[in-house]
Amino acid sequence: MKFQATIRDNEHDIELSPKEGTFIAGDNEGKYTFEFVNGRHILRTGTKTYKIDNVSKEGSTIEFSMNGVWHSVDVKDEQELLLDRLGFKTGAAAAEGILKSPMPGKILEIMVSEGDEVEKDQPLAILEAMKMENELKAPVAGTIISISAEVGQSLEKNSPILEIETIG
């Protein structure tokens, strides 16, 4: 199985052979074991052991803690990589223009209107969560086609706020 993992804007090509228990990651290759013990995932490679907890998956993003350190990795499998090469969008990529609430909170301000053109990383809304104001930025460049949240509204995590139609 071939994968591409993106960690902090660095792409890594990975090939796993679960039956043989082998991996190739860039110039590194070796053997590994992966097991589930007492509610915890354990990954062993060479003389190293990694304890993996709090695993969650949203689209192609996998978040987890490994030996107590939090990680977020975007993973594409062989099918997603092929669709990318052919110019098609996967389900996760097709939803890339939807700005969702990253955590429960209350909308304090929406800085755009339907029909506005926005740039990637442009501030779009302010969400108050845990007594802090969080600036939510555009995930892609494009045109605002719908706004589903309003000022003063309380949102749950992953609630849609607005949708951007990508340019091109």
Side-chain angles (χ1 to χ4, degrees):
M1 299 184 297
K2 292 183 180 180
F3 299 93
Q4 183 179 71
T6 305
I7 306 166
R8 291 189 296 279
D9 295 327
N10 295 315
E11 292 181 352
H12 305 276
D13 293 321
I14 300 168
E15 188 170 345
L16 298 177
S17 299
K19 289 183 180 179
E20 293 82 31
T22 60
F23 72 91
I24 300 172
D27 295 334
N28 300 318
E29 57 182 274
K31 292 190 166 288
Y32 74 93
T33 61
F34 194 75
E35 52 193 341
F36 191 70
V37 179
N38 296 329
R40 174 178 271 172
H41 300 278
I42 305 292
L43 171 65
R44 291 185 177 92
T45 176
T47 59
K48 295 182 180 178
T49 299
Y50 302 94
K51 299 173 192 120
I52 301 171
D53 297 298
N54 307 311
V55 179
S56 67
K57 182 176 188 298
E58 176 82 27
S60 62
T61 302
I62 300 172
E63 294 181 336
F64 57 93
S65 62
M66 184 165 58
N67 293 344
V69 178
W70 193 253
H71 297 277
S72 179
V73 181
D74 289 318
V75 179
K76 293 182 181 178
D77 62 16
E78 290 179 87
Q79 181 180 9
E80 290 170 307
L81 291 169
L82 176 62
L83 289 172
D84 275 355
R85 282 196 300 275
L86 295 173
F88 295 101
K89 290 187 174 185
T90 61
E96 69 187 1
I98 299 175
L99 178 66
K100 295 181 180 181
S101 177
M103 62 193 85
K106 180 173 142 184
I107 296 288
L108 295 181
E109 182 180 358
I110 296 178
M111 305 163 165
V112 293
S113 301
E114 288 184 15
D116 288 356
E117 289 195 11
V118 297
E119 297 297 320
K120 184 176 182 347
D121 295 326
Q122 176 180 331
L124 301 178
I126 303 291
L127 178 76
E128 181 184 52
M130 300 183 297
K131 299 184 181 178
M132 292 182 59
E133 292 185 9
N134 301 281
E135 188 176 71
L136 305 181
K137 298 181 179 182
V140 294
T143 304
I144 305 294
I145 58 171
S146 68
I147 299 176
S148 50
E150 48 190 59
V151 174
Q153 183 177 354
S154 293
L155 301 175
E156 294 297 320
K157 181 178 179 178
N158 293 323
S159 296
I161 297 170
L162 55 82
E163 185 173 358
I164 303 168
E165 183 178 61
T166 56
I167 298 172

